[in-house]
PDB file of all heavy atoms in Angstrom:
ATOM      1  N   ALA A   1     -52.015  34.639 -34.265  1.00  0.00           N
ATOM      2  CA  ALA A   1     -51.200  33.422 -34.406  1.00  0.00           C
ATOM      3  C   ALA A   1     -49.890  33.723 -35.116  1.00  0.00           C
ATOM      4  O   ALA A   1     -48.820  33.250 -34.709  1.00  0.00           O
ATOM      5  CB  ALA A   1     -51.988  32.356 -35.153  1.00  0.00           C
ATOM      6  N   ASP A   2     -49.949  34.562 -36.191  1.00  0.00           N
ATOM      7  CA  ASP A   2     -48.726  34.918 -36.920  1.00  0.00           C
ATOM      8  C   ASP A   2     -47.812  35.777 -36.050  1.00  0.00           C
ATOM      9  O   ASP A   2     -46.584  35.619 -36.066  1.00  0.00           O
ATOM     10  CB  ASP A   2     -49.062  35.657 -38.215  1.00  0.00           C
ATOM     11  CG  ASP A   2     -49.673  34.738 -39.264  1.00  0.00           C
ATOM     12  OD1 ASP A   2     -49.527  33.506 -39.108  1.00  0.00           O
ATOM     13  OD2 ASP A   2     -50.287  35.246 -40.212  1.00  0.00           O
ATOM     14  N   ALA A   3     -48.394  36.695 -35.281  1.00  0.00           N
ATOM     15  CA  ALA A   3     -47.598  37.540 -34.393  1.00  0.00           C
ATOM     16  C   ALA A   3     -46.904  36.694 -33.333  1.00  0.00           C
ATOM     17  O   ALA A   3     -45.716  36.875 -33.036  1.00  0.00           O
ATOM     18  CB  ALA A   3     -48.498  38.594 -33.732  1.00  0.00           C
ATOM     19  N   ARG A   4     -47.639  35.726 -32.779  1.00  0.00           N
ATOM     20  CA  ARG A   4     -47.062  34.840 -31.766  1.00  0.00           C
ATOM     21  C   ARG A   4     -45.913  34.031 -32.369  1.00  0.00           C
ATOM     22  O   ARG A   4     -44.860  33.858 -31.753  1.00  0.00           O
ATOM     23  CB  ARG A   4     -48.139  33.916 -31.209  1.00  0.00           C
ATOM     24  CG  ARG A   4     -47.641  33.023 -30.081  1.00  0.00           C
ATOM     25  CD  ARG A   4     -48.724  32.104 -29.523  1.00  0.00           C
ATOM     26  NE  ARG A   4     -49.722  32.861 -28.797  1.00  0.00           N
ATOM     27  CZ  ARG A   4     -51.005  32.916 -29.092  1.00  0.00           C
ATOM     28  NH1 ARG A   4     -51.464  32.261 -30.147  1.00  0.00           N
ATOM     29  NH2 ARG A   4     -51.853  33.618 -28.375  1.00  0.00           N
ATOM     30  N   ALA A   5     -46.101  33.544 -33.599  1.00  0.00           N
ATOM     31  CA  ALA A   5     -45.056  32.764 -34.270  1.00  0.00           C
ATOM     32  C   ALA A   5     -43.800  33.602 -34.481  1.00  0.00           C
ATOM     33  O   ALA A   5     -42.678  33.119 -34.316  1.00  0.00           O
ATOM     34  CB  ALA A   5     -45.576  32.228 -35.596  1.00  0.00           C
ATOM     35  N   CYS A   6     -43.982  34.900 -34.816  1.00  0.00           N
ATOM     36  CA  CYS A   6     -42.837  35.804 -34.991  1.00  0.00           C
ATOM     37  C   CYS A   6     -42.073  35.979 -33.685  1.00  0.00           C
ATOM     38  O   CYS A   6     -40.843  35.942 -33.651  1.00  0.00           O
ATOM     39  CB  CYS A   6     -43.301  37.171 -35.499  1.00  0.00           C
ATOM     40  SG  CYS A   6     -43.874  37.157 -37.204  1.00  0.00           S
ATOM     41  N   VAL A   7     -42.815  36.166 -32.600  1.00  0.00           N
ATOM     42  CA  VAL A   7     -42.184  36.358 -31.284  1.00  0.00           C
ATOM     43  C   VAL A   7     -41.419  35.102 -30.877  1.00  0.00           C
ATOM     44  O   VAL A   7     -40.272  35.166 -30.421  1.00  0.00           O
ATOM     45  CB  VAL A   7     -43.247  36.722 -30.216  1.00  0.00           C
ATOM     46  CG1 VAL A   7     -42.653  36.692 -28.824  1.00  0.00           C
ATOM     47  CG2 VAL A   7     -43.848  38.086 -30.516  1.00  0.00           C
ATOM     48  N   VAL A   8     -42.040  33.932 -31.063  1.00  0.00           N
ATOM     49  CA  VAL A   8     -41.382  32.670 -30.712  1.00  0.00           C
ATOM     50  C   VAL A   8     -40.126  32.486 -31.546  1.00  0.00           C
ATOM     51  O   VAL A   8     -39.084  32.064 -31.042  1.00  0.00           O
ATOM     52  CB  VAL A   8     -42.354  31.479 -30.892  1.00  0.00           C
ATOM     53  CG1 VAL A   8     -41.626  30.147 -30.803  1.00  0.00           C
ATOM     54  CG2 VAL A   8     -43.473  31.543 -29.864  1.00  0.00           C
ATOM     55  N   ASP A   9     -40.189  32.835 -32.836  1.00  0.00           N
ATOM     56  CA  ASP A   9     -39.039  32.698 -33.721  1.00  0.00           C
ATOM     57  C   ASP A   9     -37.874  33.554 -33.246  1.00  0.00           C
ATOM     58  O   ASP A   9     -36.733  33.107 -33.198  1.00  0.00           O
ATOM     59  CB  ASP A   9     -39.444  33.082 -35.154  1.00  0.00           C
ATOM     60  CG  ASP A   9     -38.313  32.849 -36.143  1.00  0.00           C
ATOM     61  OD1 ASP A   9     -37.756  31.737 -36.137  1.00  0.00           O
ATOM     62  OD2 ASP A   9     -37.983  33.782 -36.903  1.00  0.00           O
ATOM     63  N   VAL A  10     -38.156  34.796 -32.875  1.00  0.00           N
ATOM     64  CA  VAL A  10     -37.103  35.691 -32.385  1.00  0.00           C
ATOM     65  C   VAL A  10     -36.523  35.165 -31.076  1.00  0.00           C
ATOM     66  O   VAL A  10     -35.308  35.146 -30.865  1.00  0.00           O
ATOM     67  CB  VAL A  10     -37.649  37.128 -32.201  1.00  0.00           C
ATOM     68  CG1 VAL A  10     -36.650  37.998 -31.463  1.00  0.00           C
ATOM     69  CG2 VAL A  10     -37.989  37.737 -33.554  1.00  0.00           C
ATOM     70  N   CYS A  11     -37.403  34.698 -30.186  1.00  0.00           N
ATOM     71  CA  CYS A  11     -36.955  34.216 -28.874  1.00  0.00           C
ATOM     72  C   CYS A  11     -36.083  32.975 -28.977  1.00  0.00           C
ATOM     73  O   CYS A  11     -35.117  32.831 -28.232  1.00  0.00           O
ATOM     74  CB  CYS A  11     -38.157  33.925 -27.977  1.00  0.00           C
ATOM     75  SG  CYS A  11     -39.025  35.415 -27.457  1.00  0.00           S
ATOM     76  N   THR A  12     -36.406  32.083 -29.920  1.00  0.00           N
ATOM     77  CA  THR A  12     -35.619  30.854 -30.039  1.00  0.00           C
ATOM     78  C   THR A  12     -34.238  31.120 -30.626  1.00  0.00           C
ATOM     79  O   THR A  12     -33.333  30.309 -30.460  1.00  0.00           O
ATOM     80  CB  THR A  12     -36.343  29.807 -30.909  1.00  0.00           C
ATOM     81  OG1 THR A  12     -36.697  30.389 -32.155  1.00  0.00           O
ATOM     82  CG2 THR A  12     -37.589  29.285 -30.216  1.00  0.00           C
ATOM     83  N   GLN A  13     -34.073  32.268 -31.282  1.00  0.00           N
ATOM     84  CA  GLN A  13     -32.771  32.608 -31.847  1.00  0.00           C
ATOM     85  C   GLN A  13     -31.873  33.326 -30.849  1.00  0.00           C
ATOM     86  O   GLN A  13     -30.696  33.541 -31.108  1.00  0.00           O
ATOM     87  CB  GLN A  13     -32.952  33.491 -33.082  1.00  0.00           C
ATOM     88  CG  GLN A  13     -33.631  32.771 -34.239  1.00  0.00           C
ATOM     89  CD  GLN A  13     -33.891  33.709 -35.400  1.00  0.00           C
ATOM     90  OE1 GLN A  13     -33.114  34.617 -35.658  1.00  0.00           O
ATOM     91  NE2 GLN A  13     -34.987  33.488 -36.105  1.00  0.00           N
ATOM     92  N   ARG A  14     -32.423  33.674 -29.701  1.00  0.00           N
ATOM     93  CA  ARG A  14     -31.643  34.406 -28.698  1.00  0.00           C
ATOM     94  C   ARG A  14     -31.569  33.596 -27.415  1.00  0.00           C
ATOM     95  O   ARG A  14     -32.554  33.061 -26.952  1.00  0.00           O
ATOM     96  CB  ARG A  14     -32.279  35.751 -28.405  1.00  0.00           C
ATOM     97  CG  ARG A  14     -32.318  36.629 -29.624  1.00  0.00           C
ATOM     98  CD  ARG A  14     -32.839  37.982 -29.298  1.00  0.00           C
ATOM     99  NE  ARG A  14     -32.945  38.778 -30.501  1.00  0.00           N
ATOM    100  CZ  ARG A  14     -33.253  40.036 -30.524  1.00  0.00           C
ATOM    101  NH1 ARG A  14     -33.509  40.678 -29.400  1.00  0.00           N
ATOM    102  NH2 ARG A  14     -33.319  40.695 -31.664  1.00  0.00           N
ATOM    103  N   SER A  15     -30.371  33.501 -26.863  1.00  0.00           N
ATOM    104  CA  SER A  15     -30.177  32.771 -25.611  1.00  0.00           C
ATOM    105  C   SER A  15     -30.175  33.755 -24.451  1.00  0.00           C
ATOM    106  O   SER A  15     -29.596  34.839 -24.538  1.00  0.00           O
ATOM    107  CB  SER A  15     -28.847  32.017 -25.657  1.00  0.00           C
ATOM    108  OG  SER A  15     -28.573  31.458 -24.407  1.00  0.00           O
ATOM    109  N   LEU A  16     -30.821  33.359 -23.378  1.00  0.00           N
ATOM    110  CA  LEU A  16     -30.856  34.227 -22.193  1.00  0.00           C
ATOM    111  C   LEU A  16     -29.587  34.111 -21.371  1.00  0.00           C
ATOM    112  O   LEU A  16     -29.339  34.925 -20.487  1.00  0.00           O
ATOM    113  CB  LEU A  16     -32.057  33.852 -21.308  1.00  0.00           C
ATOM    114  CG  LEU A  16     -33.430  34.190 -21.880  1.00  0.00           C
ATOM    115  CD1 LEU A  16     -34.516  33.593 -21.001  1.00  0.00           C
ATOM    116  CD2 LEU A  16     -33.602  35.697 -21.976  1.00  0.00           C
ATOM    117  N   GLY A  17     -28.790  33.073 -21.622  1.00  0.00           N
ATOM    118  CA  GLY A  17     -27.622  32.860 -20.787  1.00  0.00           C
ATOM    119  C   GLY A  17     -28.041  32.227 -19.472  1.00  0.00           C
ATOM    120  O   GLY A  17     -29.220  31.970 -19.237  1.00  0.00           O
ATOM    121  N   GLY A  18     -27.079  31.983 -18.637  1.00  0.00           N
ATOM    122  CA  GLY A  18     -27.394  31.337 -17.368  1.00  0.00           C
ATOM    123  C   GLY A  18     -26.804  32.081 -16.189  1.00  0.00           C
ATOM    124  O   GLY A  18     -25.974  32.971 -16.353  1.00  0.00           O
ATOM    125  N   GLU A  19     -27.262  31.692 -15.017  1.00  0.00           N
ATOM    126  CA  GLU A  19     -26.704  32.229 -13.785  1.00  0.00           C
ATOM    127  C   GLU A  19     -26.846  31.183 -12.694  1.00  0.00           C
ATOM    128  O   GLU A  19     -27.723  30.320 -12.754  1.00  0.00           O
ATOM    129  CB  GLU A  19     -27.393  33.537 -13.381  1.00  0.00           C
ATOM    130  CG  GLU A  19     -28.872  33.417 -13.096  1.00  0.00           C
ATOM    131  CD  GLU A  19     -29.494  34.754 -12.727  1.00  0.00           C
ATOM    132  OE1 GLU A  19     -28.767  35.634 -12.229  1.00  0.00           O
ATOM    133  OE2 GLU A  19     -30.711  34.904 -12.925  1.00  0.00           O
ATOM    134  N   ARG A  20     -25.968  31.248 -11.711  1.00  0.00           N
ATOM    135  CA  ARG A  20     -25.970  30.303 -10.600  1.00  0.00           C
ATOM    136  C   ARG A  20     -26.649  30.962  -9.417  1.00  0.00           C
ATOM    137  O   ARG A  20     -26.259  32.048  -9.004  1.00  0.00           O
ATOM    138  CB  ARG A  20     -24.524  29.934 -10.264  1.00  0.00           C
ATOM    139  CG  ARG A  20     -24.371  28.737  -9.386  1.00  0.00           C
ATOM    140  CD  ARG A  20     -22.912  28.273  -9.412  1.00  0.00           C
ATOM    141  NE  ARG A  20     -22.758  27.070  -8.638  1.00  0.00           N
ATOM    142  CZ  ARG A  20     -22.275  27.032  -7.412  1.00  0.00           C
ATOM    143  NH1 ARG A  20     -21.871  28.132  -6.822  1.00  0.00           N
ATOM    144  NH2 ARG A  20     -22.166  25.886  -6.771  1.00  0.00           N
ATOM    145  N   VAL A  21     -27.678  30.284  -8.871  1.00  0.00           N
ATOM    146  CA  VAL A  21     -28.406  30.841  -7.732  1.00  0.00           C
ATOM    147  C   VAL A  21     -28.485  29.810  -6.617  1.00  0.00           C
ATOM    148  O   VAL A  21     -28.396  28.598  -6.858  1.00  0.00           O
ATOM    149  CB  VAL A  21     -29.837  31.298  -8.126  1.00  0.00           C
ATOM    150  CG1 VAL A  21     -29.793  32.377  -9.192  1.00  0.00           C
ATOM    151  CG2 VAL A  21     -30.689  30.126  -8.582  1.00  0.00           C
ATOM    152  N   ALA A  22     -28.656  30.284  -5.398  1.00  0.00           N
ATOM    153  CA  ALA A  22     -28.859  29.394  -4.258  1.00  0.00           C
ATOM    154  C   ALA A  22     -30.211  28.704  -4.409  1.00  0.00           C
ATOM    155  O   ALA A  22     -31.136  29.265  -5.000  1.00  0.00           O
ATOM    156  CB  ALA A  22     -28.800  30.190  -2.958  1.00  0.00           C
ATOM    157  N   LEU A  23     -30.318  27.492  -3.864  1.00  0.00           N
ATOM    158  CA  LEU A  23     -31.588  26.763  -3.974  1.00  0.00           C
ATOM    159  C   LEU A  23     -32.750  27.574  -3.444  1.00  0.00           C
ATOM    160  O   LEU A  23     -33.857  27.498  -3.972  1.00  0.00           O
ATOM    161  CB  LEU A  23     -31.515  25.430  -3.206  1.00  0.00           C
ATOM    162  CG  LEU A  23     -30.748  24.290  -3.851  1.00  0.00           C
ATOM    163  CD1 LEU A  23     -31.045  22.994  -3.114  1.00  0.00           C
ATOM    164  CD2 LEU A  23     -31.072  24.134  -5.313  1.00  0.00           C
ATOM    165  N   SER A  24     -32.513  28.357  -2.399  1.00  0.00           N
ATOM    166  CA  SER A  24     -33.607  29.145  -1.812  1.00  0.00           C
ATOM    167  C   SER A  24     -34.149  30.190  -2.780  1.00  0.00           C
ATOM    168  O   SER A  24     -35.249  30.703  -2.587  1.00  0.00           O
ATOM    169  CB  SER A  24     -33.133  29.828  -0.521  1.00  0.00           C
ATOM    170  OG  SER A  24     -31.975  30.603  -0.770  1.00  0.00           O
ATOM    171  N   TYR A  25     -33.398  30.504  -3.845  1.00  0.00           N
ATOM    172  CA  TYR A  25     -33.860  31.456  -4.859  1.00  0.00           C
ATOM    173  C   TYR A  25     -34.228  30.747  -6.167  1.00  0.00           C
ATOM    174  O   TYR A  25     -34.473  31.391  -7.175  1.00  0.00           O
ATOM    175  CB  TYR A  25     -32.792  32.513  -5.145  1.00  0.00           C
ATOM    176  CG  TYR A  25     -32.550  33.435  -3.981  1.00  0.00           C
ATOM    177  CD1 TYR A  25     -31.458  33.244  -3.142  1.00  0.00           C
ATOM    178  CD2 TYR A  25     -33.427  34.475  -3.692  1.00  0.00           C
ATOM    179  CE1 TYR A  25     -31.240  34.070  -2.053  1.00  0.00           C
ATOM    180  CE2 TYR A  25     -33.213  35.307  -2.605  1.00  0.00           C
ATOM    181  CZ  TYR A  25     -32.121  35.094  -1.793  1.00  0.00           C
ATOM    182  OH  TYR A  25     -31.916  35.918  -0.710  1.00  0.00           O
ATOM    183  N   GLY A  26     -34.282  29.405  -6.132  1.00  0.00           N
ATOM    184  CA  GLY A  26     -34.507  28.652  -7.355  1.00  0.00           C
ATOM    185  C   GLY A  26     -35.958  28.390  -7.705  1.00  0.00           C
ATOM    186  O   GLY A  26     -36.242  27.931  -8.806  1.00  0.00           O
ATOM    187  N   ILE A  27     -36.880  28.701  -6.805  1.00  0.00           N
ATOM    188  CA  ILE A  27     -38.287  28.381  -7.052  1.00  0.00           C
ATOM    189  C   ILE A  27     -38.801  29.065  -8.319  1.00  0.00           C
ATOM    190  O   ILE A  27     -38.558  30.257  -8.542  1.00  0.00           O
ATOM    191  CB  ILE A  27     -39.176  28.751  -5.838  1.00  0.00           C
ATOM    192  CG1 ILE A  27     -40.590  28.181  -5.978  1.00  0.00           C
ATOM    193  CG2 ILE A  27     -39.215  30.237  -5.602  1.00  0.00           C
ATOM    194  CD1 ILE A  27     -40.677  26.723  -5.799  1.00  0.00           C
ATOM    195  N   ASP A  28     -39.452  28.288  -9.185  1.00  0.00           N
ATOM    196  CA  ASP A  28     -40.032  28.750 -10.448  1.00  0.00           C
ATOM    197  C   ASP A  28     -39.005  29.202 -11.485  1.00  0.00           C
ATOM    198  O   ASP A  28     -39.391  29.735 -12.525  1.00  0.00           O
ATOM    199  CB  ASP A  28     -41.059  29.867 -10.213  1.00  0.00           C
ATOM    200  CG  ASP A  28     -42.349  29.332  -9.617  1.00  0.00           C
ATOM    201  OD1 ASP A  28     -42.654  28.147  -9.850  1.00  0.00           O
ATOM    202  OD2 ASP A  28     -43.045  30.093  -8.927  1.00  0.00           O
ATOM    203  N   ARG A  29     -37.712  28.974 -11.221  1.00  0.00           N
ATOM    204  CA  ARG A  29     -36.708  29.274 -12.242  1.00  0.00           C
ATOM    205  C   ARG A  29     -36.619  28.083 -13.201  1.00  0.00           C
ATOM    206  O   ARG A  29     -37.109  27.001 -12.929  1.00  0.00           O
ATOM    207  CB  ARG A  29     -35.338  29.542 -11.590  1.00  0.00           C
ATOM    208  CG  ARG A  29     -35.321  30.718 -10.618  1.00  0.00           C
ATOM    209  CD  ARG A  29     -35.611  32.048 -11.291  1.00  0.00           C
ATOM    210  NE  ARG A  29     -34.643  32.427 -12.294  1.00  0.00           N
ATOM    211  CZ  ARG A  29     -33.536  33.129 -12.036  1.00  0.00           C
ATOM    212  NH1 ARG A  29     -33.275  33.539 -10.799  1.00  0.00           N
ATOM    213  NH2 ARG A  29     -32.706  33.435 -13.015  1.00  0.00           N
TER     214      ARG A  29
END
């Protein structure tokens, strides 16, 4: 649980950025 909390904390501080994709490539994004 503590390890998961550490990972979530790091992930929330970093942005993945964005990209524009065609609808045909949008599934599950």
Side-chain angles (χ1 to χ4, degrees):
D2 288 343
R4 184 180 290 120
C6 289
V7 170
V8 169
D9 185 51
V10 170
C11 290
T12 53
Q13 294 175 34
R14 298 185 184 187
S15 172
L16 291 172
E19 62 181 334
R20 194 166 184 259
V21 299
L23 284 193
S24 55
Y25 292 100
I27 191 72
D28 287 333
R29 300 296 298 271

